[in-house]
Amino acid sequence: MTVVLTEKSGTAQRSAGHSTPPPSSRRRPGRERTFDDVPRWQIYLPLGLYLLFTLIPFYWMLLFAVRPAGSTSLVPWPMTGQHFSKVWNERSFAVFFQNSMIVGVATLVATTVVALAGGYALARFDFRIKGAFMLALLCSQFIPGALMLVPLFEIFRNLQMINSLGSVVIAETVFQLPLSIILISGFIKNVPVSLEEAAWVDGCSRFTAFRTVVLPLLRPGLIAVGSFAFVHSWNHFLFALMFLSEQDKQTIPVGLNTLIGADSVDLGALAAGGVIAAVPVVIVFAFIQKWLITGFSAGAVKG
């Protein structure tokens, strides 16, 4: 018994003499590398190359837009605004910009309102064809818009809506609704129904409870859906080309197409028009990027 205690005591003394690192500081042979284990250059180098690859086309477009015609300099100096003045005044880009803004804002409002109603119904009510309806919404995302041009054109022609911005707004809203409804439905599911039930107990109607309790919590989702609808309608070329034939009703993507001639292309005017078309989109994403990421991630948690 004495020998055993002595051996244990000696072992304890040897262990005390050699301090072992805590388990958390030892790296296991098979443990995966975490973010802190990766050298920073292995992260920043690929990101920097990707950023450079992305920004070069924008720099090239800005270079052609601000340097004088005929110049071959790779540095935008001296700068000129003649290309912007030409496309804005002579090529009717002021009218195109106004039409695109009307289409974008109207599509944003219509898509958000209808997606709110549809998403709330899918999130809060159970009905027989709910699964089939969700499947139909998902399958509709595989149908390209070009396949629907002929039936849509016939519908709008019978409704006498050709050469009307309303036809483009309706078409854009219809094609934005499936994804928007799915996102809003997933976002509403993350709001506990007990909050609405508490409002019902206090005497609120379903609409009042939704407006005062649920709607304020849906701000990131609404911003994500609305911004996605606005950007898509702002950049979409096909519907505006098919449904709008008069120049004073055309949008910016169609206006950019008019700058490309059969025999020559005015690169300065085309680049200036591209910068004008990109400015609203850049401003939108600069102000809503935080809400956009939150909205898309929250709407994708449940489906």
Side-chain angles (χ1 to χ4, degrees), residues 185-204:
S185 173
F187 202 86
I188 292 176
K189 286 181 179 179
N190 292 329
V191 179
V193 70
S194 58
L195 297 178
E196 290 184 84
E197 293 174 347
W200 298 343
V201 171
D202 292 337
C204 294

Side-chain angles (χ1 to χ4, degrees), residues 236-250:
H236 205 187
F237 170 77
L238 194 57
F239 290 155
L241 178 66
M242 290 299 298
F243 302 147
L244 305 173
S245 59
E246 298 179 1
Q247 185 176 1
D248 60 343
K249 297 294 181 63
Q250 292 174 349

Side-chain angles (χ1 to χ4, degrees), residues 26-87:
R26 293 198 303 262
R27 180 178 175 181
R28 297 177 182 178
R31 188 174 67 89
E32 296 182 357
R33 300 176 70 186
T34 61
F35 179 80
D36 295 332
D37 298 330
V38 179
R40 289 295 180 264
W41 69 269
Q42 295 184 9
I43 299 174
Y44 294 140
L45 180 61
L47 290 178
L49 293 176
Y50 176 77
L51 183 63
L52 183 64
F53 179 78
T54 305
L55 292 181
I56 284 179
F58 288 97
Y59 176 78
W60 201 251
M61 180 177 65
L62 186 63
L63 178 65
F64 274 92
V66 299
R67 75 182 183 183
S71 174
T72 59
S73 174
L74 296 179
V75 179
W77 190 263
M79 294 189 295
T80 179
Q82 62 180 358
H83 301 304
F84 291 96
S85 177
K86 180 179 180 180
V87 298

Side-chain angles (χ1 to χ4, degrees), residues 215-250:
L215 191 59
L217 301 177
L218 300 180
R219 183 181 301 174
L222 296 179
I223 293 176
V225 169
S227 60
F228 189 77
F230 175 83
V231 172
H232 186 272
S233 61
W234 180 273
N235 294 325
H236 205 187
F237 170 77
L238 194 57
F239 290 155
L241 178 66
M242 290 299 298
F243 302 147
L244 305 173
S245 59
E246 298 179 1
Q247 185 176 1
D248 60 343
K249 297 294 181 63
Q250 292 174 349

Side-chain angles (χ1 to χ4, degrees), residues 6-226:
T6 304
E7 291 179 354
K8 288 185 177 181
S9 177
T11 303
Q13 292 176 357
R14 288 193 302 270
S15 299
H18 298 81
S19 60
T20 57
S24 58
S25 62
R26 293 198 303 262
R27 180 178 175 181
R28 297 177 182 178
R31 188 174 67 89
E32 296 182 357
R33 300 176 70 186
T34 61
F35 179 80
D36 295 332
D37 298 330
V38 179
R40 289 295 180 264
W41 69 269
Q42 295 184 9
I43 299 174
Y44 294 140
L45 180 61
L47 290 178
L49 293 176
Y50 176 77
L51 183 63
L52 183 64
F53 179 78
T54 305
L55 292 181
I56 284 179
F58 288 97
Y59 176 78
W60 201 251
M61 180 177 65
L62 186 63
L63 178 65
F64 274 92
V66 299
R67 75 182 183 183
S71 174
T72 59
S73 174
L74 296 179
V75 179
W77 190 263
M79 294 189 295
T80 179
Q82 62 180 358
H83 301 304
F84 291 96
S85 177
K86 180 179 180 180
V87 298
W88 190 262
N89 299 319
E90 300 179 12
R91 297 301 184 94
S92 303
F93 257 68
V95 178
F96 300 156
F97 188 91
Q98 180 181 354
N99 294 336
S100 292
M101 189 63 67
I102 293 174
V103 171
V105 173
T107 303
L108 183 154
V109 174
T111 302
T112 304
V113 171
V114 179
L116 261 179
Y120 185 84
L122 289 177
R124 292 292 190 254
F125 298 102
D126 292 324
F127 45 93
R128 288 185 178 180
I129 61 171
K130 182 177 179 179
F133 183 74
M134 289 290 294
L135 181 61
L137 289 178
L138 292 174
C139 292
S140 66
Q141 299 300 296
F142 300 101
I143 302 176
L147 295 180
M148 303 299 295
L149 284 178
V150 174
L152 284 175
F153 186 87
E154 287 297 320
I155 292 173
F156 293 140
R157 184 175 64 85
N158 294 331
L159 294 175
Q160 298 182 355
M161 295 184 64
I162 299 298
N163 288 325
S164 171
L165 295 179
S167 60
V168 181
V169 172
I170 294 175
E172 295 288 352
T173 301
V174 168
F175 278 88
Q176 291 296 317
L177 277 178
L179 178 61
S180 301
I181 290 176
I182 293 173
L183 289 174
I184 291 294
S185 173
F187 202 86
I188 292 176
K189 286 181 179 179
N190 292 329
V191 179
V193 70
S194 58
L195 297 178
E196 290 184 84
E197 293 174 347
W200 298 343
V201 171
D202 292 337
C204 294
S205 62
R206 181 179 290 274
F207 177 77
T208 304
F210 172 78
R211 179 175 57 84
T212 58
V213 177
V214 180
L215 191 59
L217 301 177
L218 300 180
R219 183 181 301 174
L222 296 179
I223 293 176
V225 169

